PDB file of all heavy atoms in Angstrom:
ATOM      1  N   ALA A  17      83.816  98.610  90.902  1.00 96.00           N
ATOM      2  CA  ALA A  17      83.426  97.267  90.798  1.00 96.00           C
ATOM      3  C   ALA A  17      82.881  96.964  89.425  1.00 96.00           C
ATOM      4  O   ALA A  17      82.463  97.847  88.697  1.00 96.00           O
ATOM      5  CB  ALA A  17      82.280  96.977  91.790  1.00 96.00           C
ATOM      6  N   TYR A  18      82.940  95.665  89.089  1.00 97.00           N
ATOM      7  CA  TYR A  18      82.442  95.232  87.681  1.00 97.00           C
ATOM      8  C   TYR A  18      81.193  94.463  88.029  1.00 97.00           C
ATOM      9  O   TYR A  18      81.087  93.645  88.921  1.00 97.00           O
ATOM     10  CB  TYR A  18      83.497  94.272  87.109  1.00 97.00           C
ATOM     11  CG  TYR A  18      84.711  95.122  86.580  1.00 97.00           C
ATOM     12  CD1 TYR A  18      85.731  95.371  87.522  1.00 97.00           C
ATOM     13  CD2 TYR A  18      84.771  95.628  85.346  1.00 97.00           C
ATOM     14  CE1 TYR A  18      86.799  96.120  87.042  1.00 97.00           C
ATOM     15  CE2 TYR A  18      85.864  96.391  84.919  1.00 97.00           C
ATOM     16  CZ  TYR A  18      86.874  96.582  85.791  1.00 97.00           C
ATOM     17  OH  TYR A  18      87.971  97.328  85.435  1.00 97.00           O
ATOM     18  N   ILE A  19      80.181  94.678  87.175  1.00 96.00           N
ATOM     19  CA  ILE A  19      78.872  94.083  87.313  1.00 96.00           C
ATOM     20  C   ILE A  19      78.549  93.155  86.154  1.00 96.00           C
ATOM     21  O   ILE A  19      78.814  93.506  84.996  1.00 96.00           O
ATOM     22  CB  ILE A  19      77.772  95.212  87.343  1.00 96.00           C
ATOM     23  CG1 ILE A  19      78.034  96.169  88.498  1.00 96.00           C
ATOM     24  CG2 ILE A  19      76.437  94.592  87.391  1.00 96.00           C
ATOM     25  CD1 ILE A  19      77.838  95.621  89.879  1.00 96.00           C
ATOM     26  N   HIS A  20      78.057  91.970  86.504  1.00 95.00           N
ATOM     27  CA  HIS A  20      77.429  91.108  85.536  1.00 95.00           C
ATOM     28  C   HIS A  20      76.041  90.949  85.940  1.00 95.00           C
ATOM     29  O   HIS A  20      75.835  90.477  87.104  1.00 95.00           O
ATOM     30  CB  HIS A  20      78.081  89.802  85.356  1.00 95.00           C
ATOM     31  CG  HIS A  20      77.390  88.812  84.494  1.00 95.00           C
ATOM     32  ND1 HIS A  20      77.514  88.749  83.087  1.00 95.00           N
ATOM     33  CD2 HIS A  20      76.394  87.914  84.786  1.00 95.00           C
ATOM     34  CE1 HIS A  20      76.666  87.871  82.580  1.00 95.00           C
ATOM     35  NE2 HIS A  20      75.998  87.343  83.619  1.00 95.00           N
ATOM     36  N   SER A  21      75.020  91.204  85.232  1.00 93.00           N
ATOM     37  CA  SER A  21      73.598  91.167  85.690  1.00 93.00           C
ATOM     38  C   SER A  21      72.800  90.541  84.505  1.00 93.00           C
ATOM     39  O   SER A  21      73.026  90.878  83.361  1.00 93.00           O
ATOM     40  CB  SER A  21      73.068  92.593  86.033  1.00 93.00           C
ATOM     41  OG  SER A  21      71.751  92.500  86.380  1.00 93.00           O
ATOM     42  N   GLU A  22      71.866  89.703  84.884  1.00 91.00           N
ATOM     43  CA  GLU A  22      70.965  89.243  83.853  1.00 91.00           C
ATOM     44  C   GLU A  22      69.553  88.922  84.442  1.00 91.00           C
ATOM     45  O   GLU A  22      69.452  88.651  85.585  1.00 91.00           O
ATOM     46  CB  GLU A  22      71.591  87.984  83.178  1.00 91.00           C
ATOM     47  CG  GLU A  22      71.875  86.815  84.044  1.00 91.00           C
ATOM     48  CD  GLU A  22      72.593  85.717  83.279  1.00 91.00           C
ATOM     49  OE1 GLU A  22      71.827  84.822  82.725  1.00 91.00           O
ATOM     50  OE2 GLU A  22      73.793  85.704  83.200  1.00 91.00           O
ATOM     51  N   ALA A  23      68.577  88.937  83.591  1.00 89.00           N
ATOM     52  CA  ALA A  23      67.188  88.633  83.905  1.00 89.00           C
ATOM     53  C   ALA A  23      66.730  87.743  82.803  1.00 89.00           C
ATOM     54  O   ALA A  23      66.742  88.100  81.635  1.00 89.00           O
ATOM     55  CB  ALA A  23      66.394  89.938  83.993  1.00 89.00           C
ATOM     56  N   THR A  24      66.315  86.577  83.241  1.00 83.00           N
ATOM     57  CA  THR A  24      65.965  85.441  82.226  1.00 83.00           C
ATOM     58  C   THR A  24      67.102  85.274  81.380  1.00 83.00           C
ATOM     59  O   THR A  24      68.265  85.672  81.648  1.00 83.00           O
ATOM     60  CB  THR A  24      64.627  85.708  81.501  1.00 83.00           C
ATOM     61  OG1 THR A  24      64.814  86.730  80.603  1.00 83.00           O
ATOM     62  CG2 THR A  24      63.509  85.954  82.440  1.00 83.00           C
ATOM     63  N   VAL A  27      68.251  89.101  78.543  1.00 85.00           N
ATOM     64  CA  VAL A  27      68.949  90.397  78.812  1.00 85.00           C
ATOM     65  C   VAL A  27      70.165  90.183  79.769  1.00 85.00           C
ATOM     66  O   VAL A  27      69.955  89.539  80.784  1.00 85.00           O
ATOM     67  CB  VAL A  27      67.958  91.357  79.388  1.00 85.00           C
ATOM     68  CG1 VAL A  27      68.658  92.695  79.691  1.00 85.00           C
ATOM     69  CG2 VAL A  27      66.760  91.542  78.465  1.00 85.00           C
ATOM     70  N   PHE A  28      71.269  90.771  79.369  1.00 88.00           N
ATOM     71  CA  PHE A  28      72.383  90.761  80.417  1.00 88.00           C
ATOM     72  C   PHE A  28      73.277  91.934  80.076  1.00 88.00           C
ATOM     73  O   PHE A  28      73.365  92.424  78.990  1.00 88.00           O
ATOM     74  CB  PHE A  28      73.122  89.442  80.360  1.00 88.00           C
ATOM     75  CG  PHE A  28      74.049  89.186  79.244  1.00 88.00           C
ATOM     76  CD1 PHE A  28      75.310  89.568  79.256  1.00 88.00           C
ATOM     77  CD2 PHE A  28      73.596  88.562  78.121  1.00 88.00           C
ATOM     78  CE1 PHE A  28      76.182  89.345  78.229  1.00 88.00           C
ATOM     79  CE2 PHE A  28      74.441  88.366  77.000  1.00 88.00           C
ATOM     80  CZ  PHE A  28      75.777  88.736  77.125  1.00 88.00           C
ATOM     81  N   VAL A  29      74.009  92.282  81.092  1.00 92.00           N
ATOM     82  CA  VAL A  29      75.147  93.333  81.074  1.00 92.00           C
ATOM     83  C   VAL A  29      76.334  92.657  81.665  1.00 92.00           C
ATOM     84  O   VAL A  29      76.237  91.993  82.679  1.00 92.00           O
ATOM     85  CB  VAL A  29      74.656  94.554  81.918  1.00 92.00           C
ATOM     86  CG1 VAL A  29      75.838  95.506  82.043  1.00 92.00           C
ATOM     87  CG2 VAL A  29      73.486  95.202  81.422  1.00 92.00           C
ATOM     88  N   ARG A  30      77.423  92.779  81.000  1.00 93.00           N
ATOM     89  CA  ARG A  30      78.659  92.195  81.566  1.00 93.00           C
ATOM     90  C   ARG A  30      79.762  93.189  81.525  1.00 93.00           C
ATOM     91  O   ARG A  30      80.034  93.906  80.557  1.00 93.00           O
ATOM     92  CB  ARG A  30      79.056  90.961  80.642  1.00 93.00           C
ATOM     93  CG  ARG A  30      80.226  90.148  81.231  1.00 93.00           C
ATOM     94  CD  ARG A  30      80.191  88.790  80.694  1.00 93.00           C
ATOM     95  NE  ARG A  30      81.164  87.945  81.297  1.00 93.00           N
ATOM     96  CZ  ARG A  30      80.973  87.164  82.326  1.00 93.00           C
ATOM     97  NH1 ARG A  30      79.747  87.208  82.985  1.00 93.00           N
ATOM     98  NH2 ARG A  30      81.865  86.367  82.748  1.00 93.00           N
ATOM     99  N   ASN A  31      80.566  93.219  82.585  1.00 95.00           N
ATOM    100  CA  ASN A  31      81.769  94.090  82.826  1.00 95.00           C
ATOM    101  C   ASN A  31      81.383  95.557  82.703  1.00 95.00           C
ATOM    102  O   ASN A  31      82.168  96.341  82.164  1.00 95.00           O
ATOM    103  CB  ASN A  31      82.893  93.675  81.825  1.00 95.00           C
ATOM    104  CG  ASN A  31      83.543  92.426  82.279  1.00 95.00           C
ATOM    105  OD1 ASN A  31      83.622  92.158  83.449  1.00 95.00           O
ATOM    106  ND2 ASN A  31      83.926  91.612  81.345  1.00 95.00           N
ATOM    107  N   CYS A  32      80.301  95.960  83.314  1.00 93.00           N
ATOM    108  CA  CYS A  32      79.937  97.352  83.483  1.00 93.00           C
ATOM    109  C   CYS A  32      80.702  97.808  84.671  1.00 93.00           C
ATOM    110  O   CYS A  32      80.490  97.363  85.785  1.00 93.00           O
ATOM    111  CB  CYS A  32      78.426  97.460  83.588  1.00 93.00           C
ATOM    112  SG  CYS A  32      77.877  99.103  83.795  1.00 93.00           S
ATOM    113  N   LYS A  33      81.649  98.738  84.458  1.00 95.00           N
ATOM    114  CA  LYS A  33      82.499  99.230  85.617  1.00 95.00           C
ATOM    115  C   LYS A  33      81.830 100.445  86.242  1.00 95.00           C
ATOM    116  O   LYS A  33      81.492 101.419  85.536  1.00 95.00           O
ATOM    117  CB  LYS A  33      83.899  99.602  85.078  1.00 95.00           C
ATOM    118  CG  LYS A  33      84.873 100.033  86.209  1.00 95.00           C
ATOM    119  CD  LYS A  33      86.170 100.315  85.657  1.00 95.00           C
ATOM    120  CE  LYS A  33      87.195 100.807  86.807  1.00 95.00           C
ATOM    121  NZ  LYS A  33      88.420 101.109  86.184  1.00 95.00           N
ATOM    122  N   VAL A  34      81.635 100.370  87.544  1.00 95.00           N
ATOM    123  CA  VAL A  34      80.959 101.527  88.256  1.00 95.00           C
ATOM    124  C   VAL A  34      81.747 101.666  89.616  1.00 95.00           C
ATOM    125  O   VAL A  34      82.421 100.860  90.026  1.00 95.00           O
ATOM    126  CB  VAL A  34      79.520 101.141  88.558  1.00 95.00           C
ATOM    127  CG1 VAL A  34      78.714 101.005  87.275  1.00 95.00           C
ATOM    128  CG2 VAL A  34      79.379  99.873  89.453  1.00 95.00           C
ATOM    129  N   LEU A  51      71.872  98.708  94.257  1.00 96.00           N
ATOM    130  CA  LEU A  51      73.227  99.275  94.249  1.00 96.00           C
ATOM    131  C   LEU A  51      73.143 100.662  93.610  1.00 96.00           C
ATOM    132  O   LEU A  51      72.551 100.822  92.582  1.00 96.00           O
ATOM    133  CB  LEU A  51      74.236  98.466  93.464  1.00 96.00           C
ATOM    134  CG  LEU A  51      74.407  96.991  93.944  1.00 96.00           C
ATOM    135  CD1 LEU A  51      75.293  96.267  92.998  1.00 96.00           C
ATOM    136  CD2 LEU A  51      75.023  96.968  95.310  1.00 96.00           C
ATOM    137  N   PHE A  53      75.300 103.731  91.946  1.00 93.00           N
ATOM    138  CA  PHE A  53      76.602 103.900  91.283  1.00 93.00           C
ATOM    139  C   PHE A  53      76.911 105.365  91.109  1.00 93.00           C
ATOM    140  O   PHE A  53      76.076 106.149  90.642  1.00 93.00           O
ATOM    141  CB  PHE A  53      76.711 103.253  89.918  1.00 93.00           C
ATOM    142  CG  PHE A  53      76.106 101.864  89.913  1.00 93.00           C
ATOM    143  CD1 PHE A  53      75.206 101.438  88.963  1.00 93.00           C
ATOM    144  CD2 PHE A  53      76.678 100.965  90.783  1.00 93.00           C
ATOM    145  CE1 PHE A  53      74.787 100.139  88.909  1.00 93.00           C
ATOM    146  CE2 PHE A  53      76.250  99.624  90.725  1.00 93.00           C
ATOM    147  CZ  PHE A  53      75.277  99.236  89.805  1.00 93.00           C
ATOM    148  N   LEU A  59      71.001 100.070  90.276  1.00 94.00           N
ATOM    149  CA  LEU A  59      70.613  98.743  89.727  1.00 94.00           C
ATOM    150  C   LEU A  59      69.835  98.068  90.853  1.00 94.00           C
ATOM    151  O   LEU A  59      70.377  98.040  91.974  1.00 94.00           O
ATOM    152  CB  LEU A  59      71.846  97.982  89.381  1.00 94.00           C
ATOM    153  CG  LEU A  59      71.555  96.530  89.022  1.00 94.00           C
ATOM    154  CD1 LEU A  59      70.683  96.388  87.771  1.00 94.00           C
ATOM    155  CD2 LEU A  59      72.865  95.785  88.826  1.00 94.00           C
ATOM    156  N   MET A  61      67.715  94.536  91.818  1.00 94.00           N
ATOM    157  CA  MET A  61      67.382  93.147  91.441  1.00 94.00           C
ATOM    158  C   MET A  61      66.454  92.560  92.456  1.00 94.00           C
ATOM    159  O   MET A  61      66.651  92.792  93.699  1.00 94.00           O
ATOM    160  CB  MET A  61      68.669  92.257  91.388  1.00 94.00           C
ATOM    161  CG  MET A  61      69.689  92.718  90.393  1.00 94.00           C
ATOM    162  SD  MET A  61      69.272  92.565  88.660  1.00 94.00           S
ATOM    163  CE  MET A  61      69.197  90.844  88.449  1.00 94.00           C
ATOM    164  N   ARG A  74      84.540  87.985  94.692  1.00 95.00           N
ATOM    165  CA  ARG A  74      83.282  88.096  93.962  1.00 95.00           C
ATOM    166  C   ARG A  74      82.081  87.577  94.719  1.00 95.00           C
ATOM    167  O   ARG A  74      82.176  86.638  95.439  1.00 95.00           O
ATOM    168  CB  ARG A  74      83.456  87.395  92.645  1.00 95.00           C
ATOM    169  CG  ARG A  74      84.372  88.103  91.651  1.00 95.00           C
ATOM    170  CD  ARG A  74      84.434  87.342  90.346  1.00 95.00           C
ATOM    171  NE  ARG A  74      85.279  88.072  89.442  1.00 95.00           N
ATOM    172  CZ  ARG A  74      85.867  87.572  88.383  1.00 95.00           C
ATOM    173  NH1 ARG A  74      85.638  86.337  88.060  1.00 95.00           N
ATOM    174  NH2 ARG A  74      86.660  88.306  87.605  1.00 95.00           N
ATOM    175  N   LEU A  75      80.916  88.237  94.382  1.00 96.00           N
ATOM    176  CA  LEU A  75      79.732  87.810  95.038  1.00 96.00           C
ATOM    177  C   LEU A  75      78.678  87.556  93.935  1.00 96.00           C
ATOM    178  O   LEU A  75      78.506  88.337  93.045  1.00 96.00           O
ATOM    179  CB  LEU A  75      79.143  88.945  95.946  1.00 96.00           C
ATOM    180  CG  LEU A  75      77.842  88.768  96.543  1.00 96.00           C
ATOM    181  CD1 LEU A  75      77.806  87.611  97.503  1.00 96.00           C
ATOM    182  CD2 LEU A  75      77.425  90.083  97.310  1.00 96.00           C
ATOM    183  N   LEU A  76      78.046  86.384  94.043  1.00 96.00           N
ATOM    184  CA  LEU A  76      76.966  86.052  93.092  1.00 96.00           C
ATOM    185  C   LEU A  76      75.710  85.936  93.848  1.00 96.00           C
ATOM    186  O   LEU A  76      75.541  85.222  94.854  1.00 96.00           O
ATOM    187  CB  LEU A  76      77.302  84.669  92.385  1.00 96.00           C
ATOM    188  CG  LEU A  76      76.170  84.054  91.604  1.00 96.00           C
ATOM    189  CD1 LEU A  76      75.827  84.952  90.374  1.00 96.00           C
ATOM    190  CD2 LEU A  76      76.485  82.608  91.195  1.00 96.00           C
ATOM    191  N   LEU A  77      74.737  86.649  93.375  1.00 96.00           N
ATOM    192  CA  LEU A  77      73.311  86.579  93.886  1.00 96.00           C
ATOM    193  C   LEU A  77      72.520  86.112  92.790  1.00 96.00           C
ATOM    194  O   LEU A  77      72.554  86.576  91.657  1.00 96.00           O
ATOM    195  CB  LEU A  77      72.845  87.983  94.301  1.00 96.00           C
ATOM    196  CG  LEU A  77      73.761  88.628  95.413  1.00 96.00           C
ATOM    197  CD1 LEU A  77      73.313  90.082  95.586  1.00 96.00           C
ATOM    198  CD2 LEU A  77      73.672  87.905  96.688  1.00 96.00           C
ATOM    199  N   ALA A  78      71.620  85.180  93.055  1.00 96.00           N
ATOM    200  CA  ALA A  78      70.740  84.564  92.017  1.00 96.00           C
ATOM    201  C   ALA A  78      69.357  84.289  92.532  1.00 96.00           C
ATOM    202  O   ALA A  78      69.148  84.095  93.762  1.00 96.00           O
ATOM    203  CB  ALA A  78      71.353  83.316  91.499  1.00 96.00           C
ATOM    204  N   MET A  86      67.110  79.476  86.947  1.00 91.00           N
ATOM    205  CA  MET A  86      67.592  80.776  87.297  1.00 91.00           C
ATOM    206  C   MET A  86      66.829  81.801  86.506  1.00 91.00           C
ATOM    207  O   MET A  86      66.766  81.767  85.303  1.00 91.00           O
ATOM    208  CB  MET A  86      69.064  80.921  87.090  1.00 91.00           C
ATOM    209  CG  MET A  86      69.510  82.282  87.556  1.00 91.00           C
ATOM    210  SD  MET A  86      71.373  82.542  87.436  1.00 91.00           S
ATOM    211  CE  MET A  86      71.544  82.608  85.668  1.00 91.00           C
ATOM    212  N   VAL A  88      67.035  85.435  87.625  1.00 95.00           N
ATOM    213  CA  VAL A  88      67.796  86.677  87.694  1.00 95.00           C
ATOM    214  C   VAL A  88      69.152  86.386  88.347  1.00 95.00           C
ATOM    215  O   VAL A  88      69.306  85.398  89.093  1.00 95.00           O
ATOM    216  CB  VAL A  88      67.130  87.780  88.599  1.00 95.00           C
ATOM    217  CG1 VAL A  88      65.783  88.180  87.943  1.00 95.00           C
ATOM    218  CG2 VAL A  88      66.869  87.318  89.998  1.00 95.00           C
ATOM    219  N   ALA A  89      70.129  87.165  87.985  1.00 95.00           N
ATOM    220  CA  ALA A  89      71.527  87.045  88.606  1.00 95.00           C
ATOM    221  C   ALA A  89      72.152  88.415  88.663  1.00 95.00           C
ATOM    222  O   ALA A  89      72.009  89.192  87.789  1.00 95.00           O
ATOM    223  CB  ALA A  89      72.390  86.099  87.798  1.00 95.00           C
ATOM    224  N   LEU A  90      72.951  88.540  89.727  1.00 95.00           N
ATOM    225  CA  LEU A  90      73.763  89.686  89.839  1.00 95.00           C
ATOM    226  C   LEU A  90      75.129  89.223  90.333  1.00 95.00           C
ATOM    227  O   LEU A  90      75.204  88.585  91.394  1.00 95.00           O
ATOM    228  CB  LEU A  90      73.173  90.740  90.920  1.00 95.00           C
ATOM    229  CG  LEU A  90      74.048  91.881  91.309  1.00 95.00           C
ATOM    230  CD1 LEU A  90      74.389  92.758  90.127  1.00 95.00           C
ATOM    231  CD2 LEU A  90      73.402  92.652  92.434  1.00 95.00           C
ATOM    232  N   HIS A  91      76.110  89.465  89.627  1.00 96.00           N
ATOM    233  CA  HIS A  91      77.501  89.117  89.953  1.00 96.00           C
ATOM    234  C   HIS A  91      78.324  90.375  90.042  1.00 96.00           C
ATOM    235  O   HIS A  91      78.326  91.141  89.135  1.00 96.00           O
ATOM    236  CB  HIS A  91      78.018  88.198  88.871  1.00 96.00           C
ATOM    237  CG  HIS A  91      79.025  87.180  89.277  1.00 96.00           C
ATOM    238  ND1 HIS A  91      79.442  86.166  88.419  1.00 96.00           N
ATOM    239  CD2 HIS A  91      79.785  86.977  90.389  1.00 96.00           C
ATOM    240  CE1 HIS A  91      80.365  85.427  88.965  1.00 96.00           C
ATOM    241  NE2 HIS A  91      80.521  85.902  90.195  1.00 96.00           N
ATOM    242  N   ILE A  92      78.939  90.533  91.230  1.00 97.00           N
ATOM    243  CA  ILE A  92      79.802  91.764  91.431  1.00 97.00           C
ATOM    244  C   ILE A  92      81.214  91.358  91.916  1.00 97.00           C
ATOM    245  O   ILE A  92      81.347  90.478  92.704  1.00 97.00           O
ATOM    246  CB  ILE A  92      79.055  92.683  92.441  1.00 97.00           C
ATOM    247  CG1 ILE A  92      79.816  94.085  92.517  1.00 97.00           C
ATOM    248  CG2 ILE A  92      78.854  92.028  93.684  1.00 97.00           C
ATOM    249  CD1 ILE A  92      79.059  95.084  93.291  1.00 97.00           C
ATOM    250  N   GLY A  93      82.211  92.049  91.350  1.00 96.00           N
ATOM    251  CA  GLY A  93      83.561  91.758  91.716  1.00 96.00           C
ATOM    252  C   GLY A  93      84.476  93.036  91.460  1.00 96.00           C
ATOM    253  O   GLY A  93      84.025  93.959  90.754  1.00 96.00           O
ATOM    254  N   GLU A  95      87.373  92.852  89.850  1.00 94.00           N
ATOM    255  CA  GLU A  95      88.109  92.594  88.701  1.00 94.00           C
ATOM    256  C   GLU A  95      87.162  92.276  87.523  1.00 94.00           C
ATOM    257  O   GLU A  95      86.078  91.728  87.773  1.00 94.00           O
ATOM    258  CB  GLU A  95      89.143  91.437  88.858  1.00 94.00           C
ATOM    259  CG  GLU A  95      90.131  91.625  89.946  1.00 94.00           C
ATOM    260  CD  GLU A  95      91.122  92.722  89.585  1.00 94.00           C
ATOM    261  OE1 GLU A  95      91.463  92.924  88.426  1.00 94.00           O
ATOM    262  OE2 GLU A  95      91.602  93.465  90.484  1.00 94.00           O
ATOM    263  N   PRO A  96      87.454  92.547  86.355  1.00 95.00           N
ATOM    264  CA  PRO A  96      86.521  92.193  85.179  1.00 95.00           C
ATOM    265  C   PRO A  96      86.340  90.711  85.112  1.00 95.00           C
ATOM    266  O   PRO A  96      87.158  89.830  85.530  1.00 95.00           O
ATOM    267  CB  PRO A  96      87.336  92.645  83.959  1.00 95.00           C
ATOM    268  CG  PRO A  96      88.392  93.570  84.407  1.00 95.00           C
ATOM    269  CD  PRO A  96      88.708  93.197  85.820  1.00 95.00           C
ATOM    270  N   PHE A  97      85.141  90.402  84.650  1.00 93.00           N
ATOM    271  CA  PHE A  97      84.756  89.000  84.429  1.00 93.00           C
ATOM    272  C   PHE A  97      85.256  88.539  83.088  1.00 93.00           C
ATOM    273  O   PHE A  97      85.485  89.270  82.089  1.00 93.00           O
ATOM    274  CB  PHE A  97      83.266  88.785  84.482  1.00 93.00           C
ATOM    275  CG  PHE A  97      82.649  89.181  85.768  1.00 93.00           C
ATOM    276  CD1 PHE A  97      82.123  90.430  86.058  1.00 93.00           C
ATOM    277  CD2 PHE A  97      82.664  88.270  86.790  1.00 93.00           C
ATOM    278  CE1 PHE A  97      81.582  90.752  87.243  1.00 93.00           C
ATOM    279  CE2 PHE A  97      82.137  88.571  88.045  1.00 93.00           C
ATOM    280  CZ  PHE A  97      81.631  89.817  88.323  1.00 93.00           C
ATOM    281  N   PRO A  98      85.603  87.225  82.972  1.00 90.00           N
ATOM    282  CA  PRO A  98      86.083  86.734  81.678  1.00 90.00           C
ATOM    283  C   PRO A  98      85.052  86.938  80.524  1.00 90.00           C
ATOM    284  O   PRO A  98      83.822  86.842  80.818  1.00 90.00           O
ATOM    285  CB  PRO A  98      86.243  85.188  81.885  1.00 90.00           C
ATOM    286  CG  PRO A  98      86.275  85.007  83.379  1.00 90.00           C
ATOM    287  CD  PRO A  98      85.545  86.217  83.992  1.00 90.00           C
ATOM    288  N   GLU A  99      85.461  87.277  79.424  1.00 84.00           N
ATOM    289  CA  GLU A  99      84.563  87.571  78.262  1.00 84.00           C
ATOM    290  C   GLU A  99      84.428  86.192  77.574  1.00 84.00           C
ATOM    291  O   GLU A  99      84.245  85.730  76.807  1.00 84.00           O
ATOM    292  CB  GLU A  99      85.109  88.609  77.381  1.00 84.00           C
ATOM    293  CG  GLU A  99      85.251  89.961  78.100  1.00 84.00           C
ATOM    294  CD  GLU A  99      84.356  91.007  77.739  1.00 84.00           C
ATOM    295  OE1 GLU A  99      83.688  90.936  76.784  1.00 84.00           O
ATOM    296  OE2 GLU A  99      84.364  91.990  78.495  1.00 84.00           O
TER     297      GLU A  99
END
Side-chain angles (χ1 to χ4, degrees):
Y18 291 85
I19 301 292
H20 171 89
S21 178
E22 58 186 272
T24 69
V27 177
F28 76 91
V29 172
R30 189 158 185 90
N31 285 326
C32 181
K33 184 179 178 184
V34 297
L51 300 174
F53 308 130
L59 172 64
M61 301 293 291
R74 288 183 178 157
L75 173 63
L76 170 64
L77 303 169
M86 186 176 68
V88 296
L90 172 62
H91 208 168
I92 183 170
E95 300 293 326
F97 296 97
E99 301 247 349

